[in-house]
């Protein structure tokens, strides 16, 4: 059992209800949308910076919670404080460590060799390189860390290849879709299973029959963004091979192997298929594409020897090793269980025990888990220190100099670089907690679920909405998984399908979440221009959401045979 730090005895309670405003669900849901509408209006119309939009939206959420939903002011502010702390740790911690991990490879000079490796595999075609980095490599990072790490790392890699900043941001956000459902070793699905009582493997298998439809199309979308229809025409064999293999990997691993390792399997298979294909086929128009994009191809000095290849890929092999051991090691010792046991569970002072259900039972969300050792950010720190130590010892005869002290100093610089994005993340998580604990999110979700049989089509919208607000498919499942289950049972639908639909809907909502926008903007040096990125990526998110809604609706009736 996790260590539990006791809080003082609470006085007074609050119960979130779906009809808190004048006894009306519709009015409650309508008022509950005010903070979200405020955020997007601030970004799209006012063109405010993301942290400013977050601050104004948080203020709106606090006012709605107190004045409309009747939540005591102290509980509202305490809810915001818990969300802020959760936003800083583990989320900001993970993102900063991901950025630092990448910077270690840059400081050492080894990243230039990694660029050369992708150039070799991609046949010198930046369009295929972008798919391999953002989609395949990004999928691997999502499998291991999640929480913004794929966007942060792959964006900096694509930017270094010469892709323009705005295109880079949109590409990495769109690529970070299909892998999200199984991110961080399947945590979104594990969470849904724990909350609903439905076996997580069952939910994962159903998601594995939805996400492939997105996965097979994403490489084509990425090249469309980079180089239009001409780019697709010149590279489609590689795009179909990569997307199709990734989709097949999702289906097979989630259904017949392990939903926790789905992204790992899919990413490795897609990368391997690209290597095989490109041994026998090369795309046309690579040089012309560089010219259209204004890119001057660069090559690292010297030959790419086996030793240099090994040292370039070493950081990512260590990531796989460290995370694999930490998450999955069970031989003689449950390491994952031991790491989880080090988490400090802290009942939030003044809040825990005062937010109760209609039955008078305290909700569990007011206990903050301080994952000081088991956090993906800490695992990235450990891995990065190992990489820095190895690179500082094996300098390749001085060609790749890296002092261990410089690597440590880069941690502080990474935090400074993330200061505004980190503030945005903290504010948005505060917003999410206030909306959740006050009943605003619940009212919106219940209103959407009240449409009866049509809920099968609208079900993914809840996951999309939850992920757009919180930036996490895991959080979206925490918000709506039980609601999806209840609504499905009332409407005569398959509860497992609807819970899976929540996860799949969240997959296409992450690209428009404030956190993801802030991370992408920071990575490509477009801080303060999150609204510009949002306007570009929003149509893709909505289009993919409609596709997921259609798939889920058909699987609820005429395509029910498709489900495992």
């Amino acid at each position: 059992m996790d260590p539990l730090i006791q809080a003082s005895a609470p006085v007074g309670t609050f119960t979130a209800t779906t009809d808190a405003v004048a006894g009306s669900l519709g009015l409650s849901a309508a008022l509950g949308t005010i903070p979200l509408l405020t955020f997007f209006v601030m970004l799209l119309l006012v063109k405010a910076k993301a942290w400013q939009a977050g601050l104004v939206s948080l203020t709106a959420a606090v006012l709605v919670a107190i004045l409309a939903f009747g939540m005591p002011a102290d509980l509202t502010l305490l809810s915001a404080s818990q969300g802020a702390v959760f936003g800083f740790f583990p989320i900001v911690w993970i993102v900063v460590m991901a950025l630092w991990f990448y910077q270690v490879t840059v400081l050492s000079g080894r990243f230039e060799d990694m660029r050369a490796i992708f150039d070799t595999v991609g046949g010198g075609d930046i369009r295929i390189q972008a798919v391999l980095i953002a989609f395949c490599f990004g999928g691997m990072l999502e499998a291991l860390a999640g929480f913004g790490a794929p966007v942060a790392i792959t964006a900096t890699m694509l930017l270094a290849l010469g892709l323009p900043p705005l295109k880079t941001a949109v590409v990495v956000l769109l690529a970070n879709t299909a892998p999200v459902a199984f991110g961080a070793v399947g945590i979104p699905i594990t969470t849904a299973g724990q909350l609903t009582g439905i076996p997580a493997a069952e939910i994962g298998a159903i998601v594995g029959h939805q996400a492939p439809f997105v996965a097979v199309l994403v490489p084509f979308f990425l090249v469309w963004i980079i180089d239009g229809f001409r780019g697709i025409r010149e590279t489609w064999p590689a795009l179909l091979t990569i997307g199709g293999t990734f989709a097949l990997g999702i289906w097979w691993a989630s259904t017949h192997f392990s939903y926790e390792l789905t992204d790992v399997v899919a990413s490795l298979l897609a990368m391997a298929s690209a290597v095989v294909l490109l041994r026998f086929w090369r795309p046309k128009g690579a040089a012309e594409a560089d010219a259209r994009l204004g890119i001057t191809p660069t090559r690292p000095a010297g030959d790419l020897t086996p030793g240099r290849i090994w040292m370039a890929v070493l950081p990512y092999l260590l990531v796989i090793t460290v995370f694999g051991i930490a998450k999955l090691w069970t031989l003689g010792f449950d390491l994952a269980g031991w790491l989880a046991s080090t988490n400090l569970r802290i009942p939030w002072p003044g809040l825990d025990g005062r937010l109760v259900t209609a039955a008078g039972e305290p909700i569990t969300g007011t206990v903050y888990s301080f994952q000081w050792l088991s956090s993906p950010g800490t695992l990235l720190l450990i891995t990065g220190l190992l990489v820095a130590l190895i690179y500082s010892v094996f300098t390749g005869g001085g060609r790749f100099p890296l002092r261990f002290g410089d690597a440590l100093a880069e941690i502080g610089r990474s935090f400074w670089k993330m200061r505004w994005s980190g503030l945005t993340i903290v504010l948005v998580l505060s917003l999410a907690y206030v909306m959740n604990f006050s009943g605003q999110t619940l009212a919106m979700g219940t209103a959407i679920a009240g449409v009866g049989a049509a809920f099968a089509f609208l079900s993914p919208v809840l996951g999309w909405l939850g992920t757009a607000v919180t930036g996490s498919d895991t959080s979206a499942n925490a918000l709506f998984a039980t609601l999806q289950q209840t609504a499905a049972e009332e409407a005569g639908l398959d509860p497992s399908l609807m819970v899976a639909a929540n996860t799949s809907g969240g997959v296409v909502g992450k690209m428009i979440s404030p956190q993801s926008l802030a991370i992408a903007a920071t990575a490509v040096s477009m801080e303060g221009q999150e609204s510009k990125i949002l306007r570009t990526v929003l149509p893709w998110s909505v289009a993919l959401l409609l596709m997921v809604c259609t798939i889920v609706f058909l699987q609820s009736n005429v395509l029910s045979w498709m489900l495992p």
Side-chain angles (χ1 to χ4, degrees):
M1 182 177 297
D2 296 341
L4 179 65
I5 298 177
Q6 299 294 335
S8 58
V11 178
T13 61
F14 171 77
T15 300
T17 60
T18 59
D19 58 353
V21 184
S24 168
L25 170 62
L27 185 57
S28 300
L31 291 177
T33 64
I34 289 177
L36 298 181
L37 292 176
T38 300
F39 187 86
F40 289 112
V41 166
M42 288 291 294
L43 280 181
L44 295 172
L45 300 182
V46 181
K47 297 183 179 180
K49 294 181 179 179
W51 71 265
Q52 295 170 333
L55 180 60
V56 174
S57 302
L58 172 59
T59 302
V62 168
L63 292 176
V64 170
I66 296 172
L67 301 179
F69 282 74
M71 190 178 196
D74 63 328
L75 296 184
T76 303
L77 296 177
L78 286 169
S79 299
S81 69
Q82 184 183 348
V85 171
F86 178 76
F88 180 76
F89 195 97
I91 296 180
V92 171
W93 172 243
I94 292 171
V95 174
V96 170
M97 286 299 99
L99 287 172
W100 170 70
F101 183 86
Y102 161 76
Q103 282 300 117
V104 170
T105 68
V106 174
L107 290 173
S108 68
R110 301 284 183 177
F111 183 72
E112 289 302 312
D113 284 350
M114 177 58 70
R115 289 180 56 187
I117 292 172
F118 279 111
D119 181 71
T120 301
V121 174
D125 193 312
I126 192 172
R127 299 164 297 186
I128 295 179
Q129 292 174 31
V131 173
L132 292 174
I133 293 171
F135 188 58
C136 297
F137 186 56
M140 178 68 73
L141 292 173
E142 182 67 33
L144 298 172
F147 293 100
V151 171
I153 293 177
T154 59
T156 50
M157 293 175 71
L158 292 186
L159 201 64
L161 289 175
L163 201 65
L166 180 59
K167 285 190 176 184
T168 295
V170 175
V171 164
V172 297
L173 288 170
L174 183 56
N176 191 222
T177 48
V180 168
F182 304 96
V185 200
I187 286 180
I189 293 170
T190 301
T191 300
Q194 290 176 341
L195 291 173
T196 62
I198 300 172
E202 180 179 332
I203 299 172
I206 296 176
V207 175
H209 286 67
Q210 296 167 349
F213 292 97
V214 176
V216 75
L217 294 176
V218 167
F220 291 89
F221 294 160
L222 300 184
V223 172
W224 176 277
I225 292 169
I226 295 171
D227 195 33
F229 179 74
R230 179 186 298 182
I232 292 178
R233 187 178 66 243
E234 294 174 346
T235 62
W236 71 264
L239 306 183
L240 183 60
T241 299
I242 294 170
T245 307
F246 199 103
L248 182 63
I250 290 177
W251 168 79
W252 179 81
S254 63
T255 308
H256 302 291
F257 182 46
S258 167
Y259 76 88
E260 293 95 340
L261 295 179
T262 293
D263 281 347
V264 175
V265 172
S267 299
L268 290 176
L269 287 178
M271 182 69 76
S273 70
V275 171
V276 173
L277 173 69
L278 293 171
R279 286 179 62 88
F280 305 98
W281 172 88
R282 290 288 178 178
K284 298 179 180 179
E288 291 80 0
D290 285 344
R292 288 193 295 272
L293 293 170
I295 295 172
T296 301
T298 59
R299 299 292 183 271
D303 296 328
L304 197 60
T305 64
R308 289 173 61 177
I309 293 175
W310 168 253
M311 293 299 286
V313 302
L314 177 64
Y316 310 103
L317 295 177
L318 281 177
V319 164
I320 295 171
T321 302
V322 171
F323 275 85
I325 292 174
K327 300 286 186 179
L328 305 173
W329 184 273
T330 57
L331 298 178
F333 178 68
D334 183 8
L335 181 58
W338 178 80
L339 288 172
S341 71
T342 66
N343 298 345
L344 299 178
R345 297 176 61 244
I346 306 173
W348 205 248
L351 187 66
D352 185 57
R354 296 181 63 189
L355 300 183
V356 299
T357 66
E361 296 292 330
I363 68 171
T364 60
T366 55
V367 177
Y368 168 68
S369 179
F370 181 52
Q371 303 172 354
W372 65 277
L373 185 57
S374 64
S375 166
T378 304
L379 296 179
L380 279 172
L381 173 62
I382 294 171
T383 309
L385 291 174
L386 289 174
V387 172
L389 180 61
I390 294 172
Y391 278 177
S392 64
V393 173
F394 300 98
T395 61
R399 298 176 65 186
F400 302 95
L402 175 66
R403 293 190 302 175
F404 191 76
D406 290 340
L408 293 180
E410 189 63 28
I411 296 177
R413 290 190 285 268
S414 296
F415 269 106
W416 178 251
K417 185 177 182 180
M418 276 293 298
R419 62 193 184 281
W420 296 117
S421 298
L423 177 59
T424 300
I425 292 170
V426 167
L427 290 170
V428 169
L429 262 296
S430 293
L431 164 71
Y433 267 65
V434 170
M435 292 183 65
N436 185 23
F437 286 164
S438 66
Q440 297 174 56
T441 306
L442 183 63
M444 288 188 294
T446 303
I448 295 174
V451 298
F455 181 67
F457 180 82
L458 297 175
S459 175
V461 176
L462 289 175
W464 179 80
L465 177 65
T467 305
V469 172
T470 66
S472 166
D473 206 7
T474 301
S475 298
N477 279 348
L479 289 172
F480 294 129
T482 303
L483 175 61
Q484 295 271 15
Q485 181 185 34
T486 302
E489 292 171 349
E490 293 178 354
L493 300 168
D494 182 358
S496 299
L497 175 60
M498 296 301 102
V499 173
N502 196 80
T503 305
S504 296
V507 159
V508 297
K510 188 169 184 179
M511 70 179 81
I512 62 169
S513 74
Q515 293 175 49
S516 296
L517 292 171
I519 292 166
T522 299
V524 300
S525 299
M526 290 182 64
E527 295 94 334
Q529 301 184 59
E530 290 84 359
S531 58
K532 186 175 183 180
I533 299 173
L534 175 60
R535 286 195 298 271
T536 307
V537 80
L538 182 59
W540 292 101
S541 179
V542 173
L544 287 172
L545 173 64
L546 291 175
M547 187 181 78
V548 173
C549 288
T550 302
I551 292 170
V552 172
F553 177 73
L554 293 176
Q555 288 179 336
S556 71
N557 46 73
V558 296
L559 295 182
S560 59
W561 54 267
M562 182 184 295
L563 300 177

